[in-house]
Amino acid sequence: MNATEAKTPRPVMGLYDKPMWESINAKAMRLQRCRTCRTWLYPPGPACPRCLSCELEWAPVSGRGRVVSWVVFHRQYLPAYPPPYNAISVRLEEGPCMISNLEGAMPDEESIGRAVRLVYATMPDGMVLPRFVLDGT
Amino acid sequence: MSDGRQLKDRIAIVGVGNTRYGNFPDTDDYGLGAHAFRSAIEDCGLAKDRIDGLLTCRVPYYARMGEILGLNPRWTAAMPAHGRMSGMAIIEAAAALDAGLCDYAALIYANIGRSRRVNYGGDESPGIWDPWGFTSPGAAHALMFQRHRALFGTSTRQLAEVSVAFRHHACLNPDAVMKQPITIDDHEAARPITEPLRLLDFCLINDGAVCIIMTTKERAKDLKKRPVMISGIGAREAYGTASIPNFDLNFWYDQMRDVGTQVYGMAGVAPADVDAFMCYDNFSPTVLFSLEGLGFCGQGEAGSFVEGGALKVGGRLPTNTDGGHLSNSYMQGWALNVEAVRQIRGECGARQVKDAEVVQYAGATPCCRSIIYTPG
Amino acid sequence: MSATAARPRPKIDPINRGFWENARAGILSVQTCDNCRDVHFPGSPVCPRCLSGDQSWTPVSGRGTLLSWVRFHRAYWDGFRAELPYLVCLVGLEEGPLLISNILETDPEKLVIGSPVEAVFETVDEELTLPKFRMRG
């Protein structure tokens, strides 16, 4: 099986994750935000980790962030991901850190701290993934 | 040399909280845990960032629980989804607080067994006796009760007293799942499950969560409510027949005797001084075994001890005043410890035991535990 | 009880294999420590008394005492549904160890606790024989 036939690993769909993946599919990613103290949550959860409020709303993210760190996989763990491929950690402007991939270039020594912006990648099997490109590209 | 008795009256429960109990498919363990935590934090008036100890029980991942609550404690422990863990957890947290490993500990228990259709038997919990069709903890208690009946003449009508008294209490508890009173005849007519046990001998299966906040005696003084002290603890395991899960040939009698010697000795009280008794009741027979092992009556005498509504509020030994696992909520001992605290605080409304000052929790299981609570 | 495919089967492993091989030959056995002669069941990787790893499955008399019994009215497996209500017994072997099994008796009135019982063997299929018990004398 080659990567174009392999199924993209499905997201873990916990109780709170569905609205986020629906917004990703619509290419307008939303995350939870606390109505009380305005803290953003990722991954989605039941309560605000800052003030414990359960009054959460779904709000669109700016799509801007900075690379916190990166890794290049040289071993194949998943059929859809033949090595080498990268994974990056991005600190969103809104606060949360998320794991994604850098498109367009492999990350290197200069990548950490670089500004990135959100793009939506459609995988060979049709699944939409939030990914990032270096800002200004 | 130090031993567990040095813990006497040094550690307090200062906050308790629980969710509603029922069937909640729209939330999960973490959501329920967060609700219980918030309710316990409000109960004691502590800023949540002061919590520097976290113990989780039946929560899939303690660190995710911490992430959700915004906690980065300096002491963490995680316990599996076994009912016997509540007493063990409270004692472990008390030891950690006394040793200075943390200043304020939050203990969080969450259970989503109802909405996720947990069966407690069959392929879900494979065991070595499956080829003979033997499964489920209820069957182990059925084996024990059968022997108790044969050795001591204990009747199912006597066993029914346990379920009837606890249901009576549940009817007085706004939080409880079961609200319909039952009689001894109802118990006798209930559907048999693992004979001689019937439906009304089995605990409920429901969703919910409980949180307990503990700290040292000195720190407890500054909080919202009068602290409830841990005045006695007792512990003894029975691992000799662990291959038959939840079973002991002698009803955990020897272990509970040992636990009783420890817990009463440390607290300086006797069974006759106990104002209210919170008894682990996954299945009704274990209540009889606990009463005998702790010395509320002699071995083989629990059947007559419980007759005539002795376990009801106003009776000889008010037991599981919240309705217990049989009729309040299957919080695996956690809600019983919360009820002990509320009884001492006098917060129990219609089910309040007058002047409750010595309240005992006990569980006769492969890990026997007991805790005696008194006002701080 | 008749054999059906949907019934749970023992999980044979290196430790319990001797027990099940003996059962197929109509022999009830318990694990015996070659060092201190402690007898126990189920099998364990080391002797619970002296921790020796040298142990053997040795035949026992098959005689024991009925310590308790329970009658199942609920089918925890579909394979047992047709047998409801079925009887499970707890037997204390003459040699000491406890066993859970089925008792070949249909009348619970006869199941007096303390009664003598003896092992019988029920061939399920070519691979599996289940030791069971019946009232003795």
Side-chain angles (χ1 to χ4, degrees), chain B residues 11-338:
Chain B
I11 303 299
I13 294 190
V14 292
V16 293
N18 59 274
T19 60
R20 289 182 306 126
Y21 301 132
N23 179 31
F24 307 127
D26 296 332
T27 184
D28 64 5
D29 335 60
Y30 298 113
L32 291 167
H35 274 278
F37 177 72
R38 201 172 52 178
S39 140
I41 284 288
E42 283 163 8
D43 185 60
C44 65
L46 188 71
K48 80 153 167 105
D49 297 333
R50 304 286 295 280
I51 299 290
D52 60 353
L54 175 66
L55 183 148
T56 61
C57 183
R58 208 176 173 128
V59 171
Y61 187 30
Y62 46 88
R64 174 69 180 140
M65 192 76 252
E67 182 182 36
I68 284 169
L69 301 175
L71 300 178
N72 293 296
R74 62 189 175 100
W75 178 78
T76 295
M79 306 291 241
H82 299 168
R84 60 201 76 153
M85 294 296 151
S86 60
M88 302 172 83
I90 292 166
I91 293 168
E92 292 309 311
L97 286 159
D98 195 61
L101 302 183
C102 56
D103 294 337
Y104 299 93
L107 288 64
I108 301 174
Y109 169 87
N111 187 337
I112 52 168
R114 171 76 192 179
S115 54
R116 274 63 171 184
R117 298 280 172 267
V118 174
N119 278 319
Y120 295 96
D123 288 333
E124 175 191 291
S125 47
I128 63 167
W129 312 110
D130 294 0
W132 293 277
F134 183 82
T135 185
S136 116
H141 282 254
L143 281 179
M144 284 190 282
F145 180 70
Q146 188 85 272
R147 277 183 66 73
H148 204 272
R149 191 156 80 153
L151 295 174
F152 307 117
T154 315
S155 71
T156 55
R157 292 188 73 82
Q158 289 173 323
L159 184 63
E161 293 273 4
V162 173
S163 310
V164 170
F166 296 177
R167 181 62 62 87
H168 171 73
H169 294 151
C171 294
L172 303 173
N173 177 7
D175 283 348
V177 171
M178 302 305 276
K179 294 286 174 51
Q180 284 281 46
I182 55 169
T183 64
I184 290 175
D185 287 336
D186 291 335
H187 173 273
E188 295 295 283
R191 165 161 68 90
I193 309 285
T194 51
E195 189 186 340
L197 297 191
R198 295 173 178 275
L199 184 66
L200 295 176
D201 296 308
F202 279 62
C203 59
L204 308 172
I205 298 178
N206 61 270
D207 299 349
V210 168
C211 178
I212 290 175
I213 312 281
M214 296 168 59
T215 189
T216 57
K217 182 182 185 175
E218 294 70 31
R219 292 185 180 92
K221 287 177 189 148
D222 305 326
L223 295 168
K224 203 154 102 188
K225 289 183 175 170
R226 186 182 179 187
V228 171
M229 308 311 296
I230 293 175
S231 300
I233 57 176
R236 176 62 65 194
E237 328 299 24
Y239 290 161
T241 50
S243 289
I244 308 174
N246 304 290
F247 175 82
D248 183 69
L249 199 53
N250 197 31
F251 321 104
W252 295 299
Y253 184 74
D254 299 331
Q255 289 78 13
M256 289 302 276
R257 294 276 294 175
D258 186 2
V259 163
T261 303
Q262 294 173 44
V263 73
Y264 296 125
M266 178 169 160
V269 300
D273 301 318
V274 174
D275 298 312
F277 183 44
M278 303 301 152
C279 185
Y280 193 76
D281 58 333
N282 46 349
F283 305 95
S284 54
T286 193
V287 175
L288 305 185
F289 308 153
S290 300
L291 292 168
E292 293 176 358
L294 290 171
F296 287 100
C297 57
Q299 190 172 26
E301 294 171 6
S304 46
F305 181 91
V306 300
E307 278 180 332
L311 304 184
K312 288 182 183 171
V313 171
R316 187 173 179 181
L317 180 67
T319 299
N320 292 7
T321 51
D322 63 346
H325 300 81
L326 296 178
S327 285
N328 171 36
S329 179
Y330 185 50
M331 293 292 103
Q332 298 193 302
W334 290 91
L336 288 172
N337 282 283
V338 167

